[in-house]
Amino acid sequence: MSRIADTFARRRAEGRKLLVSFFTAGDPNPDVTVPLMHEVVKAGVDIIELGVPFSDPMAEGPVIQAACERALRHKVNLPRVLDMVRAFRQQNRHTPVVLMGYANPVEAMGYERFAEAAAGAGVDGVITVDLPPEEGEELNRALIGRGIDPILLVAPTTKPERLQRICAAARGFIYYVSLKGVTGAPTLDVGDVAAKVQEIRKSTDLPIGVGFGIRDADSAAAVARVADAVVVGSALVRLVEQHQDDTYKLREAMADLVADLRRAIDTIEPVGA
Amino acid sequence: MSKASDDAAGVDFSQYPDARGHFGIYGGRFVAETLSAALDELEAAYKRFRNDPDFIAELDHDLQHYVGRPSPLYYAERLTAALGGAKIFLKREDLNHTGAHKINNTVGQALLAKRMGKTRVIAETGAGQHGVATATVAARFGMKCVVYMGAEDVQRQSPNVFRMKLLGAEVVPVTAGTRTLKDAMNEALRDWVTNVDDTFYIIGTVAGPHPYPLMVRDFQAVIGREAKRQLLAATGRLPDALIACVGGGSNAIGLFHPFLEDRQVALYGVEAAGAGIETGRHAAPLAAGKPGVLHGNRTYLMSDEDGQILGTHSISAGLDYPGVGPEHALLKDLGRATYVCISDEEALEAFETLTRLEGIIPALESSHAVAYAMKLAPTMRKDQIIVVNLSGRGDKDINTIARMKGIDL
Ligand SMILES: Cc1ncc(COP(=O)(O)O)c(C=O)c1O
């Protein structure tokens, strides 16, 4: 069983939901990333999503755009992100790592070369934001061939017939983008999320993670009631921005927020479980 | 003069794009999932209306009475004489309402937006010509309009910023990334993702996800259809060469497309060499870039070995874009069109030459096409014919020119 499937199965057996953290690799500098990965795992994160910096992150709000710019100032590229994963894996063999990024850096490296290098580094899943299933067949085949899950996005605007196609191509889990907007947007309607998650469940047995717009313990708990995993990104990256000059404070603040989120999603009343 | 290569010889160009918007390996729809439904909706609406007699009649009416079409095909006699070679004709898109070819497309997309019931339009702009053309049609149709513009372009194209505001548009300066056209396009895409229900994104060139490269090309192809008819009427023959500047590539594909099957007509797209290709400070993805994915399509891009998009430079804001429409990428690979470069300096010289010899002040973008005509014409016979797309007028650029000359306006 893959690390991702295994992690979901383990949590499900415990009756708990997963916490997924997102931050950008190399932000605020490349030395911080691996320690930060260990820190958030210690504080309660189940899956690490690592943002691959891109010069033109079209789906990101201002917070993650700035994170990309900080990382790019250190010339953090895809091979260096894979080095970070490899370093993390030397001490952690059980926490899944998912890369989230855009198509062009992967195109520049080449699909096969990327899939091979990512598998070698210990990457478990890949989200390519601007690669819908129609355009992603070749990359997804290369990833699956190396045992890596292509994780696909579903949006509030996704129509039923597309949903089928996405679910058929996806592995690992479905990433439901909880709102119409960019990362970090303030408008999350949990009622809408619940309805859409119900709809997605009819098309797939894969677990469903929900991200975009989850910023604190309350919204995390609300989403945990309906989804299998809660993805928190901009709220963590905002801490990186705030404490970019003080690594110690940054690790502390990240650990505190993660612990808060963990507590919130672990104390929900199970719904229909 | 280079002719279409053998690769293009047997190609039926009407097969492009395919049903999913691919021009060979280029084009397509590389967008975040939230936009897929909006693009499906747009594609369905466009498919329905592009052959709808009422839509076509309304578009033709507006092109004639609002834009001022057909634009003249003008024989530049003094320029021709000065160069001593092929006859040069100028397709006068500079005489359109708002002063550039951009309005051909915004009129078309606004009519479509109206039929789709959208009440708000957004646009990205570089030189400000597309922003002005969008603000103009938005005013006419009573739609709310927001234009995204790189902070650097807001400065160097200030007259157009003021025009947009006069027309009632909100102009949002974009300070992310390189603060130019590509960043404005990112921001417009972010707006669209957020306001996808009531908003129509009017893209200003033949780039972006399918169906934009197809739709914008169709709306701009009026340039080439008219030019063909006008030249046949004036001279009884087809041109030997067409020349157009290439930013995203809309004025160029607009001129080229109706001639693609006329293999004897050589096609030249002119990219901005900026300070020189060798300096890296240019905007010439076809000449010096490689294929990649940006802004919803696969095409030639200026990017580094890590796949990060590079900053561009051109004296003309409208050519300052690191990508190019996917159909041009295909035409390059097939050898059907030839892509060449003109530097800032050469464009400025052409700007002055045309202004003094013909009394026509060209846009700095169009000056790149004129500059290449000045190189090509002397190598051709006097009975041969070149058509240059004069995509816009230069009034917007007088501040830039004055600054180059050290004059304070
Ligand atoms: C006058 C003029 N010509 C050309 C261009 C370049 O665009 P395209 O290559 O899409 O024609 C612009 C863009 O702003 C322009 O204003």
Side-chain angles (χ1 to χ4, degrees):
Chain A
M1 203 189 278
S2 77
R3 258 190 293 257
I4 291 176
D6 190 47
T7 306
F8 274 101
R10 213 158 13 87
R11 283 296 190 217
R12 184 168 295 160
E14 299 166 2
R16 294 163 81 197
K17 301 301 176 72
L18 275 70
L19 177 58
V20 182
S21 66
F22 170 94
F23 46 87
T24 301
D27 175 31
N29 66 67
D31 299 334
V32 177
T33 303
V34 175
L36 219 46
M37 292 166 81
H38 290 302
E39 191 77 47
V40 295
V41 170
K42 211 166 70 189
V45 158
D46 298 302
I47 297 180
I48 291 182
E49 231 182 73
L50 211 48
V52 179
F54 182 48
S55 53
D56 294 77
M58 287 159 324
E60 316 301 344
V63 173
I64 297 177
Q65 286 174 47
C68 283
E69 291 190 16
R70 284 192 295 271
L72 286 173
R73 257 177 248 140
H74 296 281
K75 295 231 166 284
V76 173
N77 57 16
L78 202 40
R80 289 182 71 188
V81 175
L82 295 178
D83 288 343
M84 294 174 194
V85 178
R86 192 175 296 111
F88 174 76
R89 276 278 166 261
Q90 292 186 345
Q91 287 166 50
N92 182 321
R93 310 228 28 103
H94 67 274
T95 305
V97 175
V98 172
L99 300 186
M100 182 163 188
Y102 291 80
N104 203 49
V106 178
E107 294 246 329
M109 191 163 174
Y111 292 164
E112 279 300 336
R113 234 186 94 208
F114 167 66
E116 184 184 348
V123 168
D124 302 285
V126 170
I127 304 171
T128 313
V129 177
D130 53 350
L131 207 61
E134 295 84 353
E135 303 288 357
E137 280 174 25
E138 199 184 328
L139 175 61
N140 295 346
R141 208 177 309 122
L143 292 172
I144 291 170
R146 302 279 175 179
I148 297 177
D149 292 331
I151 294 162
L152 301 191
L153 306 178
V154 171
T157 52
T158 303
K159 297 263 165 25
E161 61 286 1
R162 264 189 78 74
L163 183 58
Q164 300 288 341
R165 194 176 326 145
I166 293 169
C167 289
R171 300 285 187 280
F173 64 96
I174 297 289
Y175 189 130
Y176 178 58
V177 173
S178 61
L179 49 81
K180 293 173 195 157
V182 293
T183 49
T187 48
L188 177 73
D189 184 325
V190 179
D192 289 352
V193 172
K196 193 73 179 192
V197 168
Q198 285 308 316
E199 187 194 333
I200 299 171
R201 289 212 195 278
K202 290 190 196 123
S203 299
T204 183
D205 293 330
L206 289 173
I208 299 168
V210 173
F212 283 43
I214 298 160
R215 44 187 44 223
D216 50 26
D218 285 350
S219 45
V223 168
R225 277 189 192 96
V226 298
D228 303 302
V230 177
V231 188
V232 180
S234 294
L236 293 170
V237 176
R238 211 169 281 120
L239 296 178
V240 181
E241 184 172 287
Q242 259 167 42
H243 303 294
Q244 51 183 297
D245 300 320
D246 188 338
T247 309
Y248 178 79
K249 274 220 176 97
L250 169 58
R251 288 172 61 173
E252 199 177 57
M254 287 279 240
D256 285 351
L257 178 55
V258 168
D260 253 11
L261 296 165
R262 180 82 255 170
R263 250 191 316 278
I265 68 175
D266 279 350
T267 51
I268 54 165
E269 304 287 316
V271 175
Chain B
M1 223 172 71
S2 80
K3 276 272 177 313
S5 80
D6 290 344
D7 286 353
V11 175
D12 167 14
F13 289 98
S14 67
Q15 69 182 289
Y16 300 113
D18 71 13
R20 296 210 325 250
H22 295 112
F23 297 85
I25 65 166
Y26 303 107
R29 188 181 281 177
F30 294 80
V31 294
E33 178 55 25
T34 311
L35 288 181
S36 287
L39 289 164
D40 282 342
E41 183 196 6
L42 174 62
E43 186 186 353
Y46 180 58
K47 264 195 194 140
R48 178 160 145 234
F49 290 117
R50 74 186 292 207
N51 298 314
D52 176 70
D54 287 344
F55 182 83
I56 294 168
E58 193 175 351
L59 179 60
D60 285 347
H61 179 274
D62 279 5
L63 288 176
Q64 186 183 343
H65 298 283
Y66 190 65
V67 176
R69 304 205 71 90
S71 69
L73 184 71
Y74 165 77
Y75 174 40
E77 201 170 351
R78 296 232 303 148
L79 180 65
T80 299
L83 297 171
K87 287 194 180 67
I88 298 177
F89 286 78
L90 304 177
K91 182 60 176 161
R92 298 290 309 275
E93 294 300 301
D94 61 316
L95 294 178
N96 293 341
H97 180 40
T98 70
H101 68 293
K102 298 287 181 185
I103 190 112
N104 303 328
N105 169 47
T106 59
V107 163
Q109 289 198 48
L111 287 175
L112 194 58
K114 195 176 86 173
R115 277 172 168 68
M116 290 172 71
K118 304 289 180 183
T119 54
R120 178 176 180 269
V121 295
I122 59 172
E124 84 295 337
T125 197
Q129 288 304 112
H130 174 58
V132 166
T134 303
T136 297
V137 294
R140 175 156 180 264
F141 288 120
M143 293 167 174
K144 193 167 157 28
C145 177
V146 178
V147 179
Y148 292 93
M149 189 168 189
E152 184 174 328
D153 294 333
V154 167
Q155 278 207 327
R156 58 178 168 171
Q157 305 286 333
S158 55
N160 270 345
V161 175
F162 190 55
R163 286 167 83 195
M164 287 184 265
K165 288 182 178 165
L166 286 174
L167 289 159
E170 181 190 348
V171 180
V172 180
V174 178
T175 55
T178 60
R179 316 166 128 235
T180 57
L181 182 54
K182 82 171 173 72
D183 309 286
M185 193 145 177
N186 290 334
E187 211 52 42
L189 285 164
R190 291 181 187 120
D191 178 315
W192 200 26
V193 168
T194 308
N195 302 293
V196 63
D197 294 329
D198 69 343
T199 296
F200 189 107
Y201 180 14
I202 301 188
I203 294 185
T205 191
V206 284
H210 178 61
Y212 284 100
L214 163 70
M215 179 171 68
V216 177
R217 176 249 270 169
D218 287 352
F219 288 140
Q220 290 294 1
V222 65
I223 301 173
R225 285 197 305 272
E226 281 178 12
K228 194 181 230 181
R229 187 167 16 98
Q230 289 165 320
L231 192 70
L232 282 171
T235 69
R237 65 196 281 288
L238 290 176
D240 297 280
L242 304 178
I243 303 177
C245 67
V246 176
S250 69
N251 88 88
I253 210 75
L255 178 64
F256 294 174
H257 197 262
F259 292 92
L260 286 182
E261 304 288 351
D262 302 312
R263 313 285 158 142
Q264 70 274 33
V265 180
L267 311 176
Y268 294 95
V270 185
E271 294 188 303
I277 296 292
E278 67 291 348
T279 66
R281 297 186 65 233
H282 59 83
L286 288 167
K290 55 178 185 291
V293 172
L294 179 69
H295 291 155
N297 67 99
R298 183 179 284 121
T299 186
Y300 279 85
L301 295 176
M302 289 173 56
S303 79
D304 67 15
E305 65 267 31
D306 296 335
Q308 308 299 348
I309 308 304
L310 293 169
T312 52
H313 166 80
S314 168
I315 191 172
S316 71
L319 302 185
D320 222 344
Y321 181 65
V324 61
E327 192 161 12
H328 288 292
L330 176 72
L331 294 180
K332 173 192 159 81
D333 284 6
L334 291 176
R336 177 62 188 94
T338 305
Y339 294 89
V340 297
C341 295
I342 285 291
S343 69
D344 287 350
E345 204 174 320
E346 292 169 318
L348 282 167
E349 196 182 305
F351 175 96
E352 300 227 346
T353 303
L354 193 71
T355 300
R356 293 299 175 90
L357 286 180
E358 298 288 350
I360 296 171
I361 301 180
L364 279 173
E365 292 79 12
S366 324
S367 300
H368 287 71
V370 175
Y372 191 69
M374 288 167 60
K375 283 187 174 174
L376 186 64
T379 70
M380 293 168 63
R381 295 190 318 269
K382 289 189 174 186
D383 63 342
Q384 291 187 297
I385 294 173
I386 299 173
V387 173
V388 177
N389 201 0
L390 205 72
S391 56
R393 67 178 186 225
D395 308 47
K396 70 183 175 60
D397 295 312
I398 56 173
N399 284 337
T400 305
I401 303 288
R403 213 176 310 127
M404 300 287 297
K405 291 175 177 288
I407 298 167
D408 201 8
L409 288 186

